[in-house]
Amino acid sequence: MSFALLESTDDILAAKGNHTIAVVKGKEDYVVLKNCFKDVLSDTNDMVREKKIDLGEDIVNLEFFLGGDYKFILLMMGLSGATSNHACAWCKIHKDERWNMAYDLNHYNSPPLKHTIKEMKELAGKKNNFCCVNPPLIDIDLDHVILDELHLLLRIMDVLINNLVTEAVHWDQQDNWTKRKKDQTTKHLDKLKNTIRSCGVTFEIWEKSNADGKRSGQYDFTSLLGPDKKKLLKELPEKLTGNTYIGYRRCNVTPYMHAMVYHLPKFLETYKTVKLFSGQGVEKNNDVARSIVLRKSNNWDAAADVLKLESRQWDLREKERIKRSYTKKNSQYWEHELEEERKKRRKTLI
């Protein structure tokens, strides 16, 4: 568990802008968070209620926000999983209704569909609880619980790419229906793969095997990083042709998609940006912690090693090496020409 100061001069999108305050070695579930972070959560809730902290010579006003991936937000709010009937952290929409985008923005952000911390505490443990199975672990109002834009991009793009793969497989199955096995092809799947690669992204699609080694009929694809997915968002749509219908079923609309349409605009309206609440810095901080565990810890007490090393880095922060500044003299090269050179190089290798 970590925190960042939004008004700090440190880069909150970098690891050093996020400060680890508690580490536990265990699975990520409600009971572990409640028991292992009991003191941290108690102190945090006290500060949330007080809205200020007395430093002796000065009193600092506080405003708390909660962010993280969707699973973490659901756990902190005491809600059931992302596949449950009422999986939205901000409203009571049923999963069978997520596809319906006909309502205005206020529909799910106003009573009686809007969630509140008080109501979630009252519903916890009751029969008709809208999946509020446990009391929230933290008393931060839901308008201060911000969806992470990083995971929003990654998860929605995963669904969209999977839809394309499903579509291509379906077309190949239709074409191969009357063909002998030796004459069957995967031309649509290959075309999709080459189209994605033409965007400058390394991409592969393969059929997964069952436990007995036989073909399963299920396909998987290369897991792409954020920059690659941004490339696809920018370049891929104009390269796609044909009608799509298999992957875009109502049940494929995820909580992330619903939140992007109905709740993210409210955050943008209130805070003007969600970049401040990005999970990018948290993920980088997690990478640093993982590196400590794998490379610098003897694993007798890996959690303590992470906290001790960050504490030493904080004490020595004034001695940090200053990175050499670099200014791009030719932005055209870095943004366009370099990518074209790499494409030509790949074609030459093929």
Side-chain angles (χ1 to χ4, degrees), residues 76 107 221 277 324:
M76 293 296 288
H107 183 74
F221 50 87
F277 313 105
R324 181 172 64 91

Side-chain angles (χ1 to χ4, degrees), residues 164 192 195-196 235-242 248:
L164 294 175
L192 172 63
T195 302
I196 292 177
E235 301 181 22
L236 186 59
E238 62 185 22
K239 297 183 179 183
L240 297 176
T241 58
Y248 297 85

Side-chain angles (χ1 to χ4, degrees), residues 48 56 87 95-96 111 117 137 197 210-212 220 244 265 277 295:
V48 170
K95 66 178 181 181
D96 293 337
I117 288 290
L137 293 175
R197 287 175 177 175
N210 291 322
D212 57 3
D220 204 352
T244 55
F277 313 105
R295 299 179 182 180

Side-chain angles (χ1 to χ4, degrees), residues 281-344:
V282 177
E283 294 299 326
K284 289 183 178 179
N285 192 42
N286 291 343
D287 290 339
V288 172
R290 190 179 299 111
S291 176
I292 294 170
V293 172
L294 296 177
R295 299 179 182 180
K296 301 179 181 180
S297 172
N298 59 13
N299 290 321
W300 283 103
D301 193 349
D305 290 337
V306 172
L307 295 173
K308 289 177 181 178
L309 189 138
E310 181 163 332
S311 177
R312 290 196 297 271
Q313 289 178 334
W314 176 256
D315 292 337
L316 298 171
R317 63 188 182 280
E318 302 296 336
K319 306 295 182 181
E320 184 179 5
R321 179 177 65 86
I322 300 176
K323 293 183 179 180
R324 181 172 64 91
S325 60
Y326 176 76
T327 304
K328 294 180 181 178
K329 295 181 179 180
N330 185 1
S331 59
Q332 177 70 16
Y333 171 79
W334 292 103
E335 295 175 4
H336 302 287
E337 295 177 11
L338 180 61
E339 184 176 342
E340 293 299 323
E341 287 183 10
R342 288 175 175 172
K343 286 182 180 179
K344 291 179 182 178

Side-chain angles (χ1 to χ4, degrees), residues 182-303:
K182 67 176 184 178
D183 297 328
Q184 294 179 359
T185 63
T186 57
K187 64 178 183 180
H188 294 292
L189 203 60
D190 294 338
K191 185 177 180 180
L192 172 63
K193 184 165 51 179
N194 292 330
T195 302
I196 292 177
R197 287 175 177 175
S198 69
C199 298
V201 173
T202 302
F203 190 77
E204 187 60 66
I205 304 172
W206 62 91
E207 185 176 5
K208 294 189 286 187
S209 301
N210 291 322
D212 57 3
K214 295 181 180 179
R215 298 170 60 180
S216 66
Q218 302 294 321
Y219 288 80
D220 204 352
F221 50 87
T222 305
S223 179
L224 301 177
L225 299 177
D228 289 336
K229 291 184 176 180
K230 288 181 179 179
K231 279 186 182 179
L232 293 187
L233 276 177
K234 182 179 180 181
E235 301 181 22
L236 186 59
E238 62 185 22
K239 297 183 179 183
L240 297 176
T241 58
N243 297 322
T244 55
Y245 51 91
I246 294 298
Y248 297 85
R249 296 174 295 177
R250 293 177 176 180
C251 62
N252 285 8
V253 178
T254 65
Y256 270 115
M257 295 178 181
H258 163 76
M260 182 183 69
V261 174
Y262 280 104
H263 301 298
L264 191 63
K266 284 293 183 180
F267 298 143
L268 291 171
E269 180 183 337
T270 304
Y271 305 113
K272 310 305 179 186
T273 181
V274 292
K275 190 70 175 179
L276 282 174
F277 313 105
S278 173
Q280 181 176 327
V282 177
E283 294 299 326
K284 289 183 178 179
N285 192 42
N286 291 343
D287 290 339
V288 172
R290 190 179 299 111
S291 176
I292 294 170
V293 172
L294 296 177
R295 299 179 182 180
K296 301 179 181 180
S297 172
N298 59 13
N299 290 321
W300 283 103
D301 193 349

Side-chain angles (χ1 to χ4, degrees), residues 67-88:
D69 60 32
Y70 204 74
K71 179 182 179 181
F72 178 74
I73 290 176
L74 292 179
L75 289 175
M76 293 296 288
M77 293 295 106
L79 294 167
S80 190
T83 58
S84 59
N85 287 335
H86 302 274
C88 182

Side-chain angles (χ1 to χ4, degrees), residues 70-71 73-75 77-98 108 112-115 119-120 123 126-134 142 253-256 258-259 263:
Y70 204 74
K71 179 182 179 181
I73 290 176
L74 292 179
L75 289 175
M77 293 295 106
L79 294 167
S80 190
T83 58
S84 59
N85 287 335
H86 302 274
C88 182
W90 297 272
C91 71
K92 304 169 188 172
I93 186 174
H94 193 277
K95 66 178 181 181
D96 293 337
E97 294 294 323
R98 283 200 296 256
Y108 293 113
L113 293 179
K114 180 182 178 181
H115 267 316
E119 184 184 44
M120 293 167 82
L123 289 173
K126 293 184 178 179
K127 186 174 182 180
N128 298 319
N129 57 12
F130 294 99
C131 294
C132 298
V133 292
N134 295 297
L142 291 173
V253 178
T254 65
Y256 270 115
H258 163 76
H263 301 298

